[in-house]
């Protein structure tokens, strides 16, 4: 007896489940309620070149089954590999960020003076007490510790996306905690598609047809 399989949602889980089932010979239909695939693994591509990923940002080397599927879908060549702690994707390039002075000199999203001030801030971030800045906003903290220009060109889009509120409405303590986290992550080797994580979901969705699975809109 033929068994029809319905997968609810074309996020990364639904897409990979659909491909897996179809490659095992099952008859699969994925239903997606939104106009885009990917769910939390979709991207907003902004006119100024920045790519903001909704959730999932990077594929870590441990994600072997996903990585195998990426290879099978033929989208491996679109992956940028990066061997660092954090990266900011702009204009198709990953801008490596690591809180050590050598790495900071190569960071292209800030001017030289701002890089030095940001590097110094990161070097001493663990000795900063949040209580000292409990009445300050993140915007005031960045302006004071780095510069107004750095706030407008780099930190404002970053913080607004991270927290969903502009840095003027965000507490400095949130930002200090974020910087402390940034400084703690070590040896984070990973990869990301050139135009954001959405490309991964779109590539997997394109691969559905070749494995015989269907993607259809779900009624809202
Ligand atoms: C800020 C943030 C950062 C993250 N960073 C990383 C990271 O760097 N690396 C990492 O590996 N993971 C990361 N994650 C986790 C990762 O994003 C999620 O685990 C993953 O994307 C979840 O995929 P999913 O397919 O399970 O669910 P979702 O992405 O939520 O997909 C669910 C899909 O189902 C659809 N849907 C829902 N209800 C229905 C319905 N009734 N009918 C039809 N369709 C429906 C939705 O529209 C959506 O497309 C992050 C998450 C967040 C929030």
């Amino acid at each position: 007896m033929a068994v029809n399989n319905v997968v609810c949602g074309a996020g990364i889980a639904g897409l990979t489940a659909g491909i897996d089932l179809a490659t095992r010979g099952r008859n699969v239909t994925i239903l997606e309620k939104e106009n885009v695939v990917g769910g939390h693994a979709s991207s907003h591509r902004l006119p100024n070149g920045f790519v903001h990923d909704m959730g999932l940002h990077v594929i870590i080397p441990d994600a072997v089954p996903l990585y195998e599927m990426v290879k099978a879908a033929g989208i491996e060549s679109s992956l940028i590999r990066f061997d660092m702690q954090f990266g900011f994707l702009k204009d198709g390039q990953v801008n490596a960020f690591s809180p050590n002075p050598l790495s900071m000199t190569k960071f292209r999203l800030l001017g030289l003076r701002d890089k030095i001030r940001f590097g110094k801030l990161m070097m001493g971030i663990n000795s900063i007490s949040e209580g000292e800045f409990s009445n300050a906003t993140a915007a005031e903290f960045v302006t004071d510790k780095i510069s107004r220009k750095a706030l407008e060109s780099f930190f404002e889009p970053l913080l607004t996306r991270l927290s969903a509120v502009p840095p003027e409405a965000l507490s400095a303590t949130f930002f200090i905690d974020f910087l402390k986290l940034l400084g703690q992550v070590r040896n984070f080797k990973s990869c990301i598609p050139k135009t954001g994580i959405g490309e991964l979901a779109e590539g997997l969705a394109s691969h559905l047809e070749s494995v015989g699975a269907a993607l259809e809109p779900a009624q809202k």
Side-chain angles (χ1 to χ4, degrees):
M1 187 178 73
V3 177
N4 289 331
N5 298 264
V6 173
V7 175
C8 183
I12 286 295
L15 289 167
T16 50
I19 291 172
D20 189 43
L21 286 166
T23 48
R24 290 164 195 259
R26 301 294 189 95
N27 179 345
V28 186
T29 298
I30 301 177
L31 299 175
E32 172 54 55
K33 71 180 172 68
E34 301 296 338
N35 296 329
V36 290
V37 294
H40 285 93
S42 53
S43 305
H44 286 293
R45 288 146 189 156
L46 304 184
N48 65 2
F50 277 102
V51 177
H52 290 307
D53 294 328
M54 293 294 292
L56 171 68
H57 308 299
V58 292
I59 309 167
I60 55 173
D62 290 351
V64 176
L66 176 60
Y67 195 74
E68 288 304 316
M69 222 169 260
V70 165
K71 281 202 276 190
I75 46 179
E76 192 190 5
S77 62
S78 81
L79 296 177
I80 309 169
R81 277 155 225 288
F82 55 106
D83 177 10
M84 62 194 182
Q85 295 175 352
F86 270 84
F88 297 93
L89 188 59
K90 189 176 187 221
D91 296 331
Q93 284 189 313
V94 172
N95 294 273
F97 171 82
S98 180
N100 69 63
L102 182 64
S103 167
M104 281 308 295
T105 58
K106 297 179 190 157
F107 191 62
R108 288 168 295 211
L109 299 182
L110 289 171
L112 181 61
R113 184 172 158 273
D114 290 339
K115 275 197 281 208
I116 293 170
R117 301 195 80 188
F118 188 33
K120 275 190 185 162
L121 174 64
M122 287 306 294
M123 296 296 282
I125 194 67
N126 287 325
S127 56
I128 289 185
S129 147
E130 281 93 334
E132 204 185 320
F133 297 95
S134 56
N135 292 325
T137 65
E140 288 164 343
F141 182 81
V142 174
T143 305
D144 178 46
K145 295 286 179 191
I146 307 170
S147 75
R148 181 86 207 159
K149 189 175 172 208
L151 173 69
E152 287 168 0
S153 67
F154 177 65
F155 289 98
E156 176 142 25
L158 172 70
L159 285 171
T160 305
R161 195 66 208 169
L162 270 177
S163 65
V165 291
E168 288 75 16
L170 187 68
S171 72
T173 53
F174 172 94
F175 183 52
I176 294 167
D177 282 345
F178 170 70
L179 293 182
K180 286 184 177 175
L181 175 74
L182 211 59
Q184 277 165 15
V185 184
R186 302 272 168 216
N187 302 321
F188 198 68
K189 296 187 185 187
S190 38
C191 52
I192 188 172
K194 285 179 184 139
T195 61
I197 205 75
E199 192 180 340
L200 173 71
E202 290 150 17
L204 292 175
S206 304
H207 186 51
L208 288 174
E209 200 180 339
S210 55
V211 293
L215 174 63
E216 289 180 12
Q219 285 186 343
K220 290 196 181 177

